[in-house]
Structure formats: structure tokens, C-alpha cells
């Protein structure tokens, strides 16, 4: 992110806005799904708000602006979900699915903007960045590693995964996969999808 700040302030500002907005809606999607399942924890804790500081916290926001890394949280109580296992899957999946929806909405705006302009505009670049960023968030969050949403889903299908809950396994795995080129692989996947849809 600091590289973008010096080389392309527009990209820096766009990515910051897109990531903050996308993470905020991601967490709100978890909250809405939990409430639909009968859990009022998101409301009681004051997390049903568009305020990104509530969802991300200042450390996450600072890390985003410096390193391009950010996270969020939505407090829920799975014991209150009326549908039990199915409810846990739905609540976990709601976040990534919100990013998928944002990606396709952004693609619609991008294609409209591209058709309206004879050359690429800043607005078209913004929507393209939004689509790519949200596709990355969608695929990344579905990785079956704690504390990602993919892990919450996977452990409902494979009970053995629960042994890794609350451990440092997920953090170390993410670090290792990053070193081995996971993020680059996801970037190639996302770029290929965007190439097909634009």
C-alpha cells in the first residue's frame, strides 16, 4: 500500500475505500444472517452499523494503510442459531457471498462505464479494482483455515477440523501458503475470471 501511495495515489485511495467498505459489508452480512437465525448478539454488541472502526478496529485500519492487510469481526453466538449446523454454515457463508455479490455488481458498473467511454476512465478503473478485490476476498475467505470462514464451514462437514480451532495452525498455514505463492495463485485466478467477464 505504501508503494501505491507514492506511485499511484488514486490506486492507494481506491483500494483503501474498497477494502474498508467490502470488509464492513462482509461483517454485516454475517450479522444479518445470525439475526435471521435468531441470534441477537450482533445487535446487542452494537455491531449492526456501517462504522468500519466497529468492525475492523484501529489496528486493522492501520495495517491496511501500511501493508494492505486487514481483518474484521462480527460477534455471534452459534448456540442461539435456530437451525444448528445449517445455521452455522449459512452464517459463515454469508460474508464471502457478500463479497461475491459486490464483485459482480462492480463488474456490471465497470462494463457500463467501459461502454460509455471511448477510453478507460478513473471510474472504470475503480470498479475494476472493486471487482478484483472482492473476488480475492471471496476466494481467500473460503480457505479452510482458522480463523477464516472456510474453516467454519469445513468443520461442519469434517468434524476432525475442530481439533485446529483456536490454535495457531491457521496463522502458520496462511504464512506458509503466502510464501509458497498462494496469493499470487489467487491473483492469477481472479485475473482470469475478470478477463472472461470484461
Amino acid at each position: 500500500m505504501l508503494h501505491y501511495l507514492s506511485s499511484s495515489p488514486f490506486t492507494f485511495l481506491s483500494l483503501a475505500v474498497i477494502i474498508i467498505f467490502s470488509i464492513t459489508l462482509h461483517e454485516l452480512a454475517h450479522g444479518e444472517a445470525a439475526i435471521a437465525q435468531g441470534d441477537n448478539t450482533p445487535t446487542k454488541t452494537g455491531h449492526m452499523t456501517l462504522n468500519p472502526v466497529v468492525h475492523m478496529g484501529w489496528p486493522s485500519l492501520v495495517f491496511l494503510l501500511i501493508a494492505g492487510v486487514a481483518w474484521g469481526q462480527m460477534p455471534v453466538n452459534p448456540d442461539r442459531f435456530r437451525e444448528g449446523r445449517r445455521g452455522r454454515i449459512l452464517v459463515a457463508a454469508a460474508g464471502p457471498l457478500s463479497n461475491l455479490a459486490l464483485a459482480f455488481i462492480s463488474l456490471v458498473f465497470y462494463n457500463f462505464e467501459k461502454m460509455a467511454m471511448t477510453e478507460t476512465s478513473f471510474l472504470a478503473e475503480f470498479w475494476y479494482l472493486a471487482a478484483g478485490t472482492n473476488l480475492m476476498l471471496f476466494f481467500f475467505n473460503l480457505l479452510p483455515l482458522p480463523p477464516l470462514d472456510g474453516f467454519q464451514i469445513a468443520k461442519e462437514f469434517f468434524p476432525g477440523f475442530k481439533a485446529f480451532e483456536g490454535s495457531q495452525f491457521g496463522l502458520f498455514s496462511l504464512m506458509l501458503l503466502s510464501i509458497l505463492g498462494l496469493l499470487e495463485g489467487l491473483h492469477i485466478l481472479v485475473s482470469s475470471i475478470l478477463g472472461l467477464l470484461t
Side-chain angles (χ1 to χ4, degrees):
M1 287 294 280
L2 290 180
H3 168 72
Y4 285 129
L5 180 59
S6 59
S7 63
S8 177
F10 172 78
T11 302
F12 173 86
L13 182 59
S14 296
L15 280 174
V17 169
I18 290 165
I19 293 172
I20 290 172
F21 182 74
S22 299
I23 290 179
T24 298
L25 286 195
H26 176 111
E27 299 304 335
L28 283 172
H30 285 311
E32 289 289 355
I35 291 170
Q37 281 294 314
D39 176 26
N40 65 348
T41 303
T43 304
K44 286 177 61 178
T45 57
H47 276 71
M48 295 309 292
T49 172
L50 284 170
N51 184 351
V53 178
V54 172
H55 300 290
M56 300 173 66
W58 287 112
S60 176
L61 291 167
V62 171
F63 266 85
L64 168 62
L65 298 178
I66 295 175
V69 177
W71 59 89
Q73 63 174 355
M74 172 61 69
V76 300
N77 185 351
D79 292 334
R80 295 180 176 177
F81 296 168
R82 63 169 59 94
E83 293 182 85
R85 176 173 175 268
R86 183 171 181 270
R88 291 191 292 272
I89 293 171
L90 290 173
V91 173
L97 288 176
S98 74
N99 294 123
L100 185 62
L102 285 173
F104 281 101
I105 291 170
S106 298
L107 278 174
V108 170
F109 281 110
Y110 168 76
N111 283 309
F112 274 126
E113 185 68 19
K114 192 171 69 169
M115 286 188 296
M117 303 294 293
T118 55
E119 58 185 47
T120 303
S121 67
F122 283 121
L123 195 54
E125 289 180 26
F126 176 87
W127 290 120
Y128 190 86
L129 270 175
T133 300
N134 275 284
L135 280 177
M136 283 286 289
L137 288 171
F138 170 72
F139 288 118
F140 181 77
N141 276 289
L142 286 179
L143 292 173
L145 298 170
L148 301 178
D149 299 318
F151 175 79
Q152 304 302 323
I153 297 170
K155 73 179 183 180
E156 297 300 327
F157 292 100
F158 307 102
F161 273 60
K162 293 180 181 180
F164 299 107
E165 193 165 21
S167 71
Q168 297 300 314
F169 170 78
L171 177 61
F172 289 130
S173 297
L174 287 173
M175 292 173 63
L176 178 60
L177 289 171
S178 296
I179 293 171
L180 294 176
L182 167 71
L183 295 181
E184 183 61 30
L186 287 179
H187 179 73
I188 293 171
L189 174 62
V190 167
S191 296
S192 299
I193 293 172
L194 291 177
L196 291 172
L197 298 176
T198 58

